[in-house]
């Protein structure tokens, strides 16, 4: 008996996976920790220098909100410029659609789409900025950045779908403390972030991206009523329609201009009612129009490209004393700069964890003293944050240690350590300010001194802001090393198991077939697979290769299949013993099947390669999908319908031609036909237009499709083995497709093995066909043909492998399937940028928003191809040559199960383990790289999710084969006992 029994293999595999999961968890939570924040909220101490607030006044919690507002006004020395604030968030609006790009105005069509807004900018009644958003560019962390001035942790992208109440210091909390009444209309993310703060609210879900109309009408319908009331101080309007237009049709969608015109009408309505026509007894109102992020040409977001980070900050109602030439070159700010700017405009403390710098152009209406005070308050707040991040940073006690006579002589050039540089920059600015203020009589003539002071403060503010922004958190390197060590151990365990399985299987082959090629030759395709692993590991260290990873996988998949074609031409038939006795006609048939099948894989792979110009840098290049989209929606729709019909026809043909049990074939075929016809009905009836909104009938139909697919698949897997009957008349084989001609008669006559393979063939094909049908339903319309081509690749690969005999190593074949799955992943338009995640399909068939269900659907859509090829392993087990397997009469039954499942489970786990461990090491090395958050971190999220995909897929394959084998064995024993009973 071999050392590696089935039980040991199972236990060691589970142990390896468990250790890998522990190591991965340690690394992820060490590398992407929740960003530490200063507890509490800013109060009156923020209006004093950091070293001067050792003695606190009475507790602010005892003060009435109006008293607190008066206290802040008195301490700040700057009267609030405005009394009311309207924050209008246009979700997903790129700033260049309003402000242009590189100093050039937007196109004429865009100018005409927002005439009123453009007139405000042209007449100096509004000031617009490109507000650079930090990645990840999704709604929830961007809203947090705007109201708190803090840059959240990178994993906030995961929290975007499960928003929790915001506990950190923020503008809304500060406004609430001084008694402001707040109203919110729009995205319900605000209600989840700030529960209980709003006087009135009407939230709408941001996740039903098919809706581009009602989601904005629900906001605007209340607008007239709210503008006519005077019982609120802060009005939040969050419009989602433009973002949804982008998700569905891209930045150049036909609905983009009408949506911009609709937003322009809202701006006009607010400006005319609340700013131009204000009554004398009403305070000044400020309208701030912002966007949380931009969008790519395809309308998605989440990454760090210019198009995604280019958000808008438009201040309407502020006096503009700045020339257009100045604004055209100085209109770039950071999104976090909005928080300190609004705080200082409305006389509340700057939020405690703010890293933003006030936007100086907004404060042009203030006197020089007040502008200087604003810079000083912002500097004090950032200095406090620096002192919390850098223990021991005191910067002496200036300006609390009294005046000095030699102040100007102490101004020095700042250099040295980070602590010394911050102190030097801050002290220089404070000294310059004190010097300027001391010249009270001649201050009007000291413009140069004032300018030097402002420059000094901004040098400190920008340096501190950039340093605080870059420093997400200190990464515990020792803890990260522990995580990597655990992953290395797991990788060694899984590779050792794979090595022992190879050794056992191929030693058995050599004993059965004394072939020199098997004993001695190391084929080129086997060497290539091992070389590919090295290529992938090396490429991970390059940010450019990470961004354009699709080229590697397409090269790997096509090259390996070319090597298999070369090998097939050199040795047309498999190397099994049966081939030596087979007729010339049989050899020609096998040779033709192998050559034609591998050619189909290569041709379909080339089409898939050109379907999407994926990646990050070359998405503008032409590809098949762009060409089809330019041909018109009707053509794309026709391709979708044709693809669905071909998938249905191909599935039913293979099922009825090669299925063994017609009763089960009819049941599976009927359920598949019903599901396919319902999917076709959905295409025809509910997707006549790209922008059809979600409706009850659409949701119900999709839910019915889900139910039929789920019940049929689960029912077949569970019930099929129990209904298999063993009889001497069924000892033969059904067809060559799922039983190679090279299998010896002694194994073919083993009834249990035959029935096992027949059952797994049906189950495996059902997995494949229903998964493809589900993807046709969920994927973008343009990807329908891609799904068909992936199905063709699987069918051709299975045909090739069923005739490959022992001439082909199993681990090479499974690696080829794995490579095809990854190449298909990028062929569907995916990349290593979060912006390519398809959000639109993740809410198909969901009547009420559910984070879990939406997340599952998003996972299914994103990992359609890798999961499809892993699930195909069930069918692979049923069609693969098993002549090396022992006879069940002479072997332990678990030994047979181990040999059948060893490669299909260990090869995907081993390959993924190598890539996961290697990239984790790369990420640790690149932790201080310029692109760590924009390139390497998003890629690592994909690597981790791919690991989950492999875990799930391998678990399904192992469970299906084990369950089927166990039930068939039990059923055979029961039928055998009944047969003996009847004989008696």
């Amino acid at each position: 008996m071999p050392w590696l029994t089935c039980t040991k293999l199972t236990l060691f595999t589970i142990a390896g996976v468990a250790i890998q999961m522990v190591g991965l968890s340690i690394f992820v939570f060490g590398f992407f920790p929740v960003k530490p924040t200063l507890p509490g909220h800013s109060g009156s101490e923020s209006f004093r220098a950091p070293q001067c607030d050792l003695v606190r006044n009475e507790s602010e919690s005892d003060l009435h909100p109006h008293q607190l507002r008066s206290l802040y006004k008195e301490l700040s020395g700057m009267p609030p410029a405005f009394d009311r604030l309207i924050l209008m968030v246009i979700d997903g609006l790129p700033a260049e659609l309003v402000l242009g790009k590189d100093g050039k105005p937007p196109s004429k069509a865009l100018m005409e789409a927002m005439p009123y807004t453009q007139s405000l900018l042209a007449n100096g009644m509004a000031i617009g900025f490109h507000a650079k958003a930090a990645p990840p560019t999704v709604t929830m962390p961007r809203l947090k950045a705007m109201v708190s001035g803090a840059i959240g942790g990178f994993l906030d992208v995961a929290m975007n779908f499960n928003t929790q109440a915001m506990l950190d210091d923020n503008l809304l909390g500060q406004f609430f403390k001084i008694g402001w009444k707040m109203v919110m209309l729009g995205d319900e993310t605000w209600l989840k972030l700030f529960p209980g703060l709003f006087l009135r609210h009407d939230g709408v879900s941001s996740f039903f991206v098919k809706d581009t109309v009602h989601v904005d009408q629900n906001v605007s319908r209340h607008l007239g009523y709210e503008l006519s009331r005077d019982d609120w101080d802060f009005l939040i309007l969050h419009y989602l329609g433009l973002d949804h237009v982008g998700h569905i049709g891209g930045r150049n969608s036909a609905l983009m201009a009408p949506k911009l015109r609709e937003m322009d009408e809202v701006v006009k309505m607010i400006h005319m009612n609340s700013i131009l026509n204000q009554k004398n007894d009403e305070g000044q109102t400020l309208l701030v129009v912002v966007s949380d992020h931009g969008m790519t040409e395809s309308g998605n977001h989440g990454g760090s490209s210019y198009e995604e980070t280019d958000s808008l900050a438009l201040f309407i109602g502020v006096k503009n004393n700045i020339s257009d030439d100045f604004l055209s070159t100085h209109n770039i700010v950071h999104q976090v700069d909005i928080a300190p700017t609004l705080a200082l405009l409305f006389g509340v403390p700057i939020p405690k964890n703010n890293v933003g710098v006030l936007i100086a152009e907004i404060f042009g209406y203030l006197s020089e003293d007040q502008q200087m005070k604003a810079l000083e308050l912002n500097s004090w707040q950032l200095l406090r944050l620096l002192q919390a991040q850098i223990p021991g940073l005191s910067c002496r006690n200036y300006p609390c240690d009294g005046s000095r006579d030699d102040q100007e002589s102490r101004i020095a050039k700042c250099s040295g350590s980070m602590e010394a540089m911050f102190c030097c920059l801050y002290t220089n600015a404070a000294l310059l300010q004190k010097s300027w203020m001391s010249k009270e009589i001649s201050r009007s003539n000291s413009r140069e001194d004032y300018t030097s002071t402002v420059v000094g403060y901004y040098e400190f503010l920008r340096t501190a802001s950039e340093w605080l922004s870059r420093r997400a958190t200190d990464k515990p390197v020792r803890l990260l090393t522990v995580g990597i060590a655990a992953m290395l151990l797991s990788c060694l365990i899984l590779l050792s198991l794979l090595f022992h399985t190879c050794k056992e299987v191929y030693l058995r082959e050599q004993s059965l077939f004394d072939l020199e090629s098997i004993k001695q030759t190391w084929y080129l395709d086997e060497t290539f697979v091992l070389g590919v692993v090295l290529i992938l590991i090396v490429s991970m260290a390059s940010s450019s290769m990470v961004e354009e990873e699709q080229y590697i996988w397409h090269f790997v998949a096509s090259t390996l299949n070319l090597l298999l074609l070369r090998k097939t031409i050199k040795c047309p038939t498999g190397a099994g013993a049966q081939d030596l006795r087979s007729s010339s006609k049989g050899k020609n048939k096998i040779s033709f099947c192998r050559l034609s099948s591998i050619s189909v894989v290569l041709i379909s792979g080339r089409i898939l390669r050109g379907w999407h110009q994926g990646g990050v840098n070359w998405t503008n290049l032409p590809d098949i999908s762009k060409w089809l989209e330019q041909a018109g929606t009707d053509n794309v729709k026709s391709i979708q319908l044709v693809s669905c019909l071909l998938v249905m026809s191909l599935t039913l043909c293979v099922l009825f031609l090669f299925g063994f049990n017609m009763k089960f074939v009819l049941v599976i075929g009927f359920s598949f036909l019903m599901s396919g016809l319902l999917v076709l009905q959905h295409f025809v009836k509910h997707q006549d237009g790209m922008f059809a909104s979600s409706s009850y009938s659409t949701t119900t139909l999709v839910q019915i499709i889900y139910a039929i697919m789920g019940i049929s698949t689960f029912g077949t897997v569970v019930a099929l083995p129990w209904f298999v009957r063993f009889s001497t008349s069924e000892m033969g084989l059904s067809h060559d497709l799922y039983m190679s001609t090279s299998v010896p008669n002694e194994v073919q006559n083993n009834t249990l093995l035959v029935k096992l393979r027949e059952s797994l063939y049906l189950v495996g094909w059902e997995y494949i066909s229903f998964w493809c049908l589900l993807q046709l339903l969920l994927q973008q319309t343009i990807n329908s043909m891609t799904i068909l081509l992936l199905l063709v690749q699987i069918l051709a690969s299975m045909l090739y492998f069923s005739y490959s005999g022992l001439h082909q190593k199993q681990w090479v074949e499974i690696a080829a399937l794995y490579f095809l799955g990854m190449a298909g992943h990028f062929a569907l338009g995916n990349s290593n940028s979060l912006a390519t995640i398809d959000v639109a399909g993740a809410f198909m068939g969901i009547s009420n928003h559910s984070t879990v269900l939406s997340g599952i659907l998003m996972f299914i859509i994103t990992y359609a191809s890798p999961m499809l090829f892993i699930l195909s392993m069930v069918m692979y087990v049923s069609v693969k040559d098993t002549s090396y397997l022992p006879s069940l009469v002479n072997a332990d039954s678990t030994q047979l199960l181990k040999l059948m499942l060893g490669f299909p489970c260990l090869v995907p786990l081993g390959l993924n383990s190598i890539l996961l461990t290697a990239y984790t090491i790369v990420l640790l090395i690149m932790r201080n790289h310029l692109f760590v958050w924009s390139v390497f971190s998003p890629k690592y999220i994909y690597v981790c999710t791919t690991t989950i995909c492999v875990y799930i897929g391998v678990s399904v394959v192992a469970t299906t084969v084990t369950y089927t084998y166990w039930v068939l064995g039990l059923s055979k024993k029961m039928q055998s006992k009944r047969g003996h009973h009847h004989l008696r």
Side-chain angles (χ1 to χ4, degrees), residues 130-134 151 311 313 332-339 356-357 359 462 465-466 469:
H130 293 263
K132 186 177 180 182
I151 296 178
S311 66
I332 298 176
V333 297
H334 290 85
Q335 199 174 60
V336 288
D337 297 343
I338 296 173
V357 178
I359 304 173
R462 285 300 175 195
S465 176
E466 290 173 6
S469 299

Side-chain angles (χ1 to χ4, degrees), residues 692-725:
S693 61
S694 179
S695 64
Y696 176 77
S697 59
T698 307
T699 302
T700 303
L701 178 60
V702 175
Q703 289 174 349
I704 292 172
I705 297 172
Y706 290 160
I708 294 176
M709 288 183 179
I711 293 172
S712 176
T713 304
F714 183 76
T716 301
V717 174
V718 172
L720 176 61
W722 293 102
F723 288 92
V724 173
R725 292 291 177 263

Side-chain angles (χ1 to χ4, degrees), residues 27 31 68 96 111 202 221 255 265 300 347 363 411 438 494 501 519 533 564 573 583 610 638 671 700 713 833 964:
F27 187 88
F31 197 88
L68 189 61
E96 68 175 278
M111 296 275 284
D202 186 10
R221 63 178 178 168
L255 288 185
E265 288 297 321
N300 291 323
F363 294 88
I411 296 180
S438 66
L494 294 173
T501 304
K519 285 183 180 180
V533 176
L564 295 180
T573 58
S583 64
S638 301
S671 61
T700 303
T713 304
S833 169
T964 306

Side-chain angles (χ1 to χ4, degrees), residues 53-96:
D53 58 352
L54 300 178
V55 180
R56 297 294 177 92
N57 294 333
E58 67 278 5
S59 175
E60 294 178 11
S61 61
D62 298 333
L63 297 177
H64 189 274
H66 294 293
Q67 292 177 314
L68 189 61
R69 186 187 304 189
S70 300
L71 176 63
Y72 288 163
K73 183 177 179 180
E74 177 186 348
L75 292 174
S76 69
M78 312 171 38
F82 300 92
D83 299 291
R84 303 177 98 197
L85 172 62
I86 300 176
L87 181 66
M88 179 181 174
V89 182
I90 305 178
D91 204 297
L93 174 63
E96 68 175 278

